[in-house]
Amino acid sequence: MVWSRTRSLMLFIGALIVLNSCVNQLTMHARDGEKLDGKWRFAREGSGLIEVEGSAGELLVGTFSPVPRHIFFADYQKTFGGGTIDADGPDVSAFGNAFAGVLGNSNALMDTAYGEDYNSAAGKSVMVTGPLFFWTANLQGDKRTTMHCFLIGSSYTGRGLGRCKGASGKEYTVQF
């Protein structure tokens, strides 16, 4: 009986460690110096969940969903205009699974995305490479604040960049 309790406790602790390791950090910066911290994790079918602590402690939550590259950039330009995020290279999503290069052939087609960074400490643009995935997200706070986000991530590193715009018009750059 003691072995059974010990084993159950070890399985429970192991499950907590695995679940906590699936949560990733993200940071958002506004031009005025405001910094928001958040976290994200994958969910089902390429989607995920985002949680950001907004101004005055408001918690913004939402889901992100994968979108085709051409739709991502068309919607992005409608929201922000051009020039703040750009991608070079082929649209590997048209060639099958973007994650195929992770465990497979090392000469997979490479995409590169560049984005502005409002973090004054960084002072330069950010870049992600690899087969890229494109997401859009809608966040809503408990005080009715809303934010629309565009995110680009690397299937090689899990890191990414993006940009969000609140209903008030305030914009943030995102790094995850």
Side-chain angles (χ1 to χ4, degrees):
M1 184 182 286
V2 172
W3 168 251
S4 175
R5 285 185 192 162
T6 303
R7 184 173 176 212
S8 296
L9 181 60
M10 294 303 286
L11 288 172
F12 176 74
I13 291 171
L16 283 178
I17 290 170
V18 168
L19 288 175
N20 284 332
S21 68
C22 295
V23 174
N24 302 286
Q25 302 300 311
L26 70 83
T27 306
M28 302 170 88
H29 290 95
R31 284 191 194 270
D32 65 7
E34 181 182 17
K35 177 184 173 194
L36 305 178
D37 292 315
K39 52 192 171 185
W40 67 276
R41 71 174 177 85
F42 285 113
R44 292 183 222 157
E45 299 173 6
S47 67
L49 306 170
I50 296 179
E51 181 179 287
V52 176
E53 187 173 339
S55 301
E58 182 177 16
L59 192 62
L60 294 120
V61 295
T63 59
F64 57 84
S65 302
V67 295
R69 178 180 170 154
H70 67 282
I71 292 173
F72 176 91
F73 281 108
D75 289 348
Y76 181 90
Q77 287 180 348
K78 286 178 191 171
T79 304
F80 297 106
T84 55
I85 287 183
D86 200 9
D88 294 327
D91 181 3
V92 295
S93 64
F95 300 102
N97 185 356
F99 295 97
V102 175
L103 301 174
N105 193 343
S106 64
N107 65 358
L109 299 172
M110 284 292 229
D111 270 341
T112 303
Y114 306 88
E116 222 178 333
D117 186 4
Y118 293 163
N119 181 4
S120 59
K124 58 180 183 179
S125 64
V126 291
M127 178 179 78
V128 292
T129 61
L132 300 177
F133 43 89
F134 300 88
W135 292 318
T136 59
N138 289 305
L139 308 178
Q140 184 169 352
D142 49 0
K143 297 176 185 172
R144 303 272 187 234
T145 301
T146 61
M147 193 176 293
H148 188 61
C149 299
F150 295 82
L151 307 166
I152 302 174
S154 170
S155 61
Y156 281 164
T157 64
R159 299 282 178 221
L161 58 94
R163 195 157 171 192
C164 296
K165 187 173 193 174
S168 67
K170 189 167 186 178
E171 297 179 11
Y172 298 86
T173 58
V174 181
Q175 287 189 30
F176 59 94

